[in-house]
C-alpha cells in the first residue's frame, strides 16, 4: 500500500521506517526542510537503537522518501498517519494540540477523493471527534475523508521492536465505519497474521487507552518510590521489598524499581494533561491521585539533593561532582524532563562544579544546559570528584570497576539513583555508597 506519515519526530520517523519494513511505500511529511533533508539522506536526528539502519535501508531501496508538501502527500496516498507531538501547554498542564490541529488544517484542503487520516498522537479524550468533524468540513471530499485513532505504545529504546512486534493494536473508529477498519487491517496485515491482538473501539476508548496506560505506569513507579520513602524511615530495603512484591502475579516486577523517578516526553506531561482533561469533564476527583503520583516522583529528586548535602556536609559550593547520565533513560538521547539533567542543573545552581557524562545524550544536554561541564567518559568526568551521582542506568556504568573509579576521584562517594549498581562490590572497594530506599 501507499501511506504517508505526517510528522517525522521520534514517533513519525520510527513509524515511517517500520511501515516501509512491512512492505508499504511510505512518504514522510514534515514542515522542517532541514529535518526532511537529513532523513532523505538516510540520517536520523536522534538516537534510537536499530532505527538508523532501518531508515537508511528503505531510503536506499526507494520504498521510503520524504517531503515538505502536503499537496504531494494528498496525491501520493489515501491513508495518512498523523504522528506529531502533543507537548505540555506553555504555562499550563494541559496538552498543546496546535500540531495535531495543524495536520488537519494543512492536509484536509487537498483531500479531493476518499481518504483516511489516522491519528497516533497522545491526545485528550474528545479530540478525535472534533478533528473528524473539522476534517469533513475542510476536505473537498467531504465526509468521504474519514478519521481513525490508532494510539502508539512505543518505549524509547525499543521503538522499532514495539512497532514491528507490538503487544496489541487499538483502532478507534466512528460508529459503523467498517471501511476504515478493513483498510487498517490491510495496513497491519503482517502483524495480524502474527497474531498480534487487535482491539476495535470507539474514539473515546481508543484515546483513553494510551493516557490510561501511562497513568497506570506512572502510578506503579511512584508507588514503589513512596515505599522507598517509607523504607528509608523504617530501615528497610526497597529492592528486597520490590523483589518480594514482583512474585505476586497480580503485581509483577515491571516498572516496580525504586529510584530517582520517571521523566521523558510522555509520562510527566501525559499524567498532567489527563488530570486537566478529567477536570474539564467534571470528574476531576477520579484522577486526583495523579497529583500525588506527580509529587512523589518529583520528591525523589529532592531526596538525591538531600543525600548529596549529607555526603558533603560543608556545603555544595565549590565541590566537584560527577553526574553519570543525562538522558531520562538508557538507550536514548532524549533529555526531556530528565531527572539526571535536572539534578545536574540543581547542583550547579548550588555552586558545585558539575561534570556530566552520557553515552548518547551529550549533544542534546550541551544545548539545553551549556553552563555545565561535560566529560568524555565516565572516568574522565569523575576525575577529582568528591561525589558521583549515578542517574541513568546505562550498561556502561554498571560495568565499571569500582577500584578503577576510586583511583581517579578525590573522595570515593557515590549515590546510586537507580538502585542498579552492585552495592556490596562498591563498598568492598572502599566507597561510601548511598541509594534511595536502602541503608
Amino acid at each position: 500500500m501507499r501511506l504517508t506519515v505526517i510528522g517525522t519526530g521520534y514517533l513519525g520517523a520510527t513509524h515511517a521506517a517500520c511501515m516501509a519494513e512491512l512492505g508499504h511505500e511510505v512518504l514522510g511529511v514534515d514542515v522542517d526542510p532541514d529535518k526532511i533533508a537529513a532523513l532523505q539522506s538516510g540520517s536520523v536526528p536522534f538516537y534510537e537503537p536499530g532505527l538508523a539502519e532501518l531508515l537508511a535501508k528503505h531510503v536506499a531501496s526507494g520504498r521510503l522518501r520524504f517531503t515538505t508538501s502536503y499537496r504531494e502527500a494528498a496525491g501520493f496516498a489515501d491513508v495518512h498517519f498523523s504522528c506529531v507531538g502533543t507537548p505540555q501547554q506553555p504555562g499550563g498542564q494541559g496538552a498543546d494540540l496546535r500540531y495535531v490541529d495543524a495536520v488537519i488544517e494543512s492536509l484536509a484542503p487537498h483531500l479531493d477523493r476518499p481518504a483516511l487520516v489516522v491519528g497516533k498522537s497522545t491526545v485528550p479524550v474528545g479530540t478525535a471527534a472534533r478533528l473528524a468533524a473539522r476534517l469533513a468540513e475542510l476536505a473537498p471530499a467531504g465526509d468521504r475523508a474519514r478519521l481513525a485513532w490508532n494510539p502508539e505504545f512505543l518505549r524509547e529504546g525499543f521503538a522499532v521492536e514495539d512497532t514491528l512486534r507490538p503487544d496489541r493494536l487499538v483502532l478507534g473508529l466512528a460508529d459503523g465505519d467498517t471501511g476504515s477498519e478493513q483498510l487498517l487491517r490491510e495496513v497491519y496485515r503482517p502483524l495480524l497474521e502474527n497474531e498480534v491482538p487487535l482491539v476495535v473501539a470507539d474514539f473515546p476508548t481508543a484515546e483513553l487507552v494510551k493516557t490510561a496506560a501511562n497513568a497506570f505506569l506512572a502510578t506503579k513507579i511512584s508507588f514503589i518510590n513512596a515505599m522507598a520513602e517509607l523504607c528509608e524511615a523504617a530501615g528497610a530495603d526497597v529492592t528486597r521489598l520490590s523483589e518480594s512484591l514482583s512474585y505476586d502475579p497480580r503485581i509483577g516486577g515491571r516498572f516496580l524499581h525504586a529510584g530517582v523517578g520517571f521523566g521523558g516526553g510522555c509520562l510527566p506531561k501525559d499524567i498532567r494533561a489527563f488530570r486537566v482533561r478529567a477536570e474539564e469533564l467534571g470528574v476531576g476527583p477520579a484522577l486526583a491521585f495523579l497529583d500525588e503520583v506527580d509529587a512523589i516522583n518529583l520528591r525523589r529528586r529532592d531526596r538525591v539533593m538531600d543525600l548529596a548535602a549529607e555526603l558533603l556536609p560543608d556545603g555544595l559550593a565549590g565541590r566537584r561532582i560527577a553526574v553519570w547520565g543525562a538522558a531520562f533513560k538508557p538507550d536514548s538521547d532524549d533529555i526531556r524532563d530528565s531527572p539526571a539533567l535536572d539534578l545536574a542543573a540543581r547542583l550547579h545552581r548550588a555552586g558545585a562544579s558539575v561534570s556530566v557524562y552520557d553515552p548518547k545524550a551529550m549533544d542534546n544536554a550541551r544545548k539545553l544546559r551549556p553552563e555545565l561541564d561535560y566529560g568524555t567518559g565516565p572516568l574522565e568526568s569523575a576525575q577529582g570528584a568528591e561525589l558521583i551521582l549515578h542517574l541513568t542506568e546505562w550498561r556502561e556504568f554498571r560495568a565499571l570497576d569500582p577500584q578503577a573509579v576510586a583511583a581517579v576521584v578525590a573522595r570515593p562517594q557515590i549515590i546510586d539513583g537507580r538502585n542498579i549498581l552492585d552495592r556490596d562490590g562498591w563498598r568492598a572497594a572502599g566507597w561510601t555508597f548511598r541509594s534511595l530506599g536502602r541503608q
Side-chain angles (χ1 to χ4, degrees), residues 265-349:
C266 291
L267 292 190
K269 62 100 174 172
D270 285 351
I271 64 171
R272 293 164 191 159
F274 203 16
R275 180 82 171 90
V276 168
R277 186 56 178 148
E279 290 285 356
E280 292 171 349
L281 292 171
V283 290
L287 297 186
F289 70 93
L290 290 179
D291 289 338
E292 185 56 25
V293 166
D294 200 7
I296 291 168
N297 186 58
L298 295 176
R299 281 204 301 272
R300 291 290 79 192
R301 304 183 192 187
D302 296 337
R303 178 58 180 153
V304 172
M305 291 297 294
D306 292 342
L307 286 174
E310 289 177 21
L311 293 173
L312 299 172
D314 295 330
L316 299 177
R319 317 303 283 273
R320 182 165 176 79
I321 298 175
V323 171
W324 287 347
F328 86 95
K329 65 176 290 186
D331 297 314
S332 173
D333 64 354
D334 192 342
I335 60 170
R336 290 176 293 176
D337 202 6
S338 165
L341 205 53
D342 177 50
L343 280 163
R346 290 194 197 188
L347 292 166
H348 175 80
R349 290 195 295 270

Side-chain angles (χ1 to χ4, degrees), residues 70-155:
Y70 276 96
R71 182 183 296 277
E72 181 182 1
F76 177 82
D78 295 323
V79 179
H80 309 276
F81 286 93
S82 174
C83 297
V84 295
T86 53
Q88 191 168 310
Q89 290 176 354
Q93 294 196 332
D96 185 346
L97 298 178
R98 74 179 78 176
Y99 306 110
V100 172
D101 289 338
V103 169
I104 301 299
E105 298 292 324
S106 301
L107 178 66
H110 302 294
L111 299 178
D112 56 6
R113 63 178 191 262
L116 177 62
V117 178
V118 187
K120 292 194 69 68
S121 308
T122 303
V123 295
V125 62
T127 302
R130 177 177 64 79
L131 293 178
R134 184 61 174 159
L135 177 65
E137 177 186 348
L138 291 177
D143 60 9
R144 294 181 299 156
R146 309 300 296 274
L147 186 88
W149 215 261
N150 172 217
E152 56 89 8
F153 304 104
L154 304 189
R155 299 167 296 161

Side-chain angles (χ1 to χ4, degrees), residues 55 97 116 128 184 192 217 253 280 302 355-356 366 385 388 401:
L55 184 134
L97 298 178
L116 177 62
L184 285 170
L192 297 175
L217 296 177
E280 292 171 349
D302 296 337
S355 179
V356 177
R366 283 191 183 96
I388 296 174
D401 180 354

Side-chain angles (χ1 to χ4, degrees), residues 30-212:
D30 204 290
V31 297
D32 184 341
D34 292 335
K35 185 186 294 185
I36 288 298
L39 291 166
Q40 190 60 52
S41 71
S43 175
V44 179
F46 54 87
Y47 176 71
E48 175 61 36
L51 179 58
E53 297 82 358
L54 196 65
L55 184 134
K57 169 186 173 182
H58 291 298
V59 167
S61 73
R63 192 176 288 169
L64 174 60
R65 62 185 182 86
F66 297 90
T67 183
T68 58
S69 171
Y70 276 96
R71 182 183 296 277
E72 181 182 1
F76 177 82
D78 295 323
V79 179
H80 309 276
F81 286 93
S82 174
C83 297
V84 295
T86 53
Q88 191 168 310
Q89 290 176 354
Q93 294 196 332
D96 185 346
L97 298 178
R98 74 179 78 176
Y99 306 110
V100 172
D101 289 338
V103 169
I104 301 299
E105 298 292 324
S106 301
L107 178 66
H110 302 294
L111 299 178
D112 56 6
R113 63 178 191 262
L116 177 62
V117 178
V118 187
K120 292 194 69 68
S121 308
T122 303
V123 295
V125 62
T127 302
R130 177 177 64 79
L131 293 178
R134 184 61 174 159
L135 177 65
E137 177 186 348
L138 291 177
D143 60 9
R144 294 181 299 156
R146 309 300 296 274
L147 186 88
W149 215 261
N150 172 217
E152 56 89 8
F153 304 104
L154 304 189
R155 299 167 296 161
E156 293 197 35
F158 302 91
V160 172
E161 174 75 14
D162 288 344
T163 304
L164 296 177
R165 284 167 285 278
D167 51 22
R168 79 282 206 193
L169 290 168
V170 176
L171 306 181
L173 304 168
D175 289 344
D177 188 6
T178 57
S180 295
E181 179 183 343
Q182 293 307 311
L183 199 55
L184 285 170
R185 282 180 177 272
E186 182 61 23
V187 169
Y188 289 123
R189 181 170 54 82
L191 306 184
L192 297 175
E193 288 176 348
N194 284 331
E195 300 184 345
V196 172
L198 173 67
V199 178
V200 179
D202 51 46
F203 282 157
T205 303
E207 291 168 308
L208 283 170
V209 170
K210 178 62 185 292
T211 47

